[in-house]
Amino acid sequence: MPSAISTDVLIVGAGVAGLWLNARLRRLGYSTVLVERASLGGEQTIKSQGIIHGGTKYALHGALTGASEAIADMPRRWREALAGNGELDLSRTRLLSDAHYLWSPGTLAGNLTSFFASKAVRGRVDQVKGDQLPPALQDRAFKGKVYRLAELVVDVPSLLANLAELAGESLLAGERIEPLREGNALVGLRVDDREIRAQRIVLSAGAGTEGLLQALGLDQPAMQTRPLHMVMAKGPNLKPLYAHCLGGGPKPRVTVTTHPAADGQWVWYLGGDLAEADGVAREPAAQIAAAQKEIDNLLPWVDQSLVRWATLRVDRAEPAQSGLARPDNAFLADQQRLLVGWPTKLALAPDFSDRVISHLERDGIRPQAQADLTDLPRPPLGVPAWEQLLP
């Protein structure tokens, strides 16, 4: 007979959304089991740039949109958690930068965009110069303008390790996931050889949620994916840079974050418009060539001769929107015991957990179970792409 576990909340999908929710529920006294079939954060989370957006980049045309307002409180909540006095204790997470930057390269369109962005956000940005500039821009050849944003950049691998530590014994590596029913009612899930019964089941598996819904005989809520073709550059002469480079459009021309590799070198991780429509259509060699050209145009003093390059395709999983639009908030839908959602962005993991906890409170779900979770097989931590592609 398969072993049986009773828990208050069963979560499937250990990206940042599932891990954050799991930690918050445990802190509130709930018994939880968090199931992951691959690695912790190893799909979408580990491929993120680690920026805790506050919405400024969504105001590049001078207007604060629903997206910018919905996400505005996230940096504060993350900052408190990173300091160890927030809703979670993330003091073991490495902070890569306590600010992100808007960077205009000096073109007319870029300067106008940065001007309107600074007016729209009403004091959320401050212009910086001289030795206050990011290290990679401290060159006498730099002629642009730079605005400092109160938005953090976290080291995602250390974030995942911190959240895994907060998970205690609740993590379970599980390959086969099937519905567990009594009559027509879903009462839990069968995970490999274990039956897990729960008061509520949360699907937070990103792109994997669609397949899980199909296994449960459901086709709603619908999911969409928005693809990216990210670029990685690694070299001994690269200096830290965390910035949106502004162009004339509604999206950053390129977004650069910098990450520590295991060998001590820095890795530039390039997203923004470079990684979107035209970038998605390019083959890797052409995408690398496009990135090299951008760096040469924007940062001509950077010696690329020792830089190694690679690309990474990412499919961002989200609730389906008209015209593949970007969702403004975290998303959650409920069907009796089943809650299904997507955070839609790394920074919105706290918002996702708020929505789940609100549902539990609305339905009167209180901590009850005391599951024996000792000796569960644990999933490994996700590994950054640059350690695999640029060792």
Side-chain angles (χ1 to χ4, degrees):
M1 292 291 292
S3 59
I5 296 173
S6 291
T7 188
D8 293 320
V9 183
L10 170 58
I11 307 167
V12 182
V16 66
L19 285 162
W20 190 293
L21 171 64
N22 186 56
R24 278 197 70 188
L25 291 175
R26 285 170 56 82
R27 193 167 188 177
L28 292 171
Y30 289 91
S31 170
T32 64
V33 176
L34 175 53
V35 178
E36 174 56 52
R37 66 181 181 183
S39 58
L40 301 178
E43 294 299 322
Q44 195 166 322
T45 300
I46 200 72
K47 298 170 185 175
S48 73
Q49 292 186 282
I51 305 167
I52 308 305
H53 290 292
T56 307
K57 80 167 188 174
Y58 302 134
L60 296 185
H61 275 333
L64 289 173
T65 65
S68 63
E69 291 299 271
I71 203 171
D73 196 38
M74 292 301 108
R76 177 192 64 81
R77 292 178 65 176
W78 279 81
R79 196 179 296 275
E80 290 174 354
L82 291 164
N85 54 22
E87 60 206 61
L88 298 180
D89 181 0
L90 297 183
S91 57
R92 294 181 182 271
T93 297
R94 179 177 179 178
L95 183 63
L96 294 178
S97 178
D98 65 357
H100 205 248
Y101 295 84
L102 289 175
W103 154 38
S104 167
T107 63
L108 177 62
N111 282 331
L112 286 174
T113 302
S114 62
F115 171 79
F116 285 122
S118 65
K119 293 297 182 183
V121 296
R122 296 187 183 89
R124 294 189 196 179
V125 300
D126 297 301
Q127 188 172 0
V128 296
K129 301 178 180 179
D131 60 5
Q132 293 182 328
L133 292 171
L137 302 182
Q138 291 184 20
D139 190 279
R140 62 182 61 186
F142 178 69
K143 303 299 183 184
K145 296 181 180 179
V146 178
Y147 297 85
R148 185 184 188 276
L149 310 179
E151 299 180 351
L152 312 173
V153 186
V154 299
D155 177 59
V156 175
S158 69
L159 169 65
L160 292 171
N162 198 157
L163 289 170
E165 182 181 21
L166 296 179
E169 296 181 334
S170 67
L171 300 175
L172 170 61
E175 189 68 30
R176 300 184 313 278
I177 300 174
E178 301 170 340
L180 180 63
R181 302 185 188 277
E182 287 184 353
N184 293 324
L186 181 69
V187 296
L189 297 175
R190 185 174 289 105
V191 180
D192 293 338
D193 61 342
R194 291 176 173 83
E195 290 185 354
I196 306 178
R197 295 171 177 265
Q199 296 190 70
R200 288 294 181 269
I201 302 161
V202 181
L203 302 187
S204 61
T209 294
E210 190 170 52
L212 289 168
L213 287 172
Q214 290 173 357
L216 296 172
L218 302 172
D219 58 8
Q220 294 293 326
M223 189 186 81
Q224 69 184 29
T225 57
R226 290 191 298 125
L228 293 173
H229 195 181
M230 305 289 288
V231 180
M232 295 171 285
K234 180 180 179 181
N237 56 339
L238 298 182
K239 297 179 180 179
L241 179 59
Y242 303 92
H244 302 297
C245 179
L246 302 173
K251 298 177 181 178
R253 178 173 171 178
V254 63
T255 295
V256 184
T257 51
T258 311
H259 305 265
D263 62 5
Q265 295 188 48
W266 289 112
V267 176
W268 279 1
Y269 195 28
L270 311 178
D273 204 38
L274 170 72
E276 300 205 21
D278 290 342
V280 171
R282 297 185 188 108
E283 293 300 316
Q287 179 70 338
I288 288 171
Q292 291 171 329
K293 183 177 179 180
E294 276 285 65
I295 296 301
D296 191 51
N297 287 336
L298 297 170
L299 305 166
W301 54 88
V302 174
D303 180 4
Q304 297 189 37
S305 63
L306 297 178
V307 175
R308 291 185 293 147
W309 299 83
T311 70
L312 177 67
R313 293 192 181 273
V314 182
D315 283 322
R316 294 166 292 180
E318 305 163 339
Q321 307 284 296
S322 176
L324 282 179
R326 179 190 62 245
D328 287 347
N329 309 300
F331 172 88
L332 189 72
D334 65 310
Q335 301 181 38
Q336 298 179 333
R337 290 196 184 203
L338 184 66
L339 305 178
V340 184
W342 295 266
T344 74
K345 187 173 286 294
L346 178 85
L348 285 166
D351 184 39
F352 178 80
S353 67
D354 286 348
R355 292 167 189 269
V356 174
I357 292 168
S358 177
H359 274 265
L360 299 182
E361 292 174 346
R362 182 200 69 183
D363 294 345
I365 304 300
R366 299 286 181 263
Q368 292 180 2
Q370 294 295 326
D372 180 7
L373 304 178
T374 56
D375 300 323
L376 293 183
R378 292 171 61 94
L381 287 170
V383 178
W386 47 85
E387 301 296 354
Q388 303 173 57
L389 301 175
L390 292 172

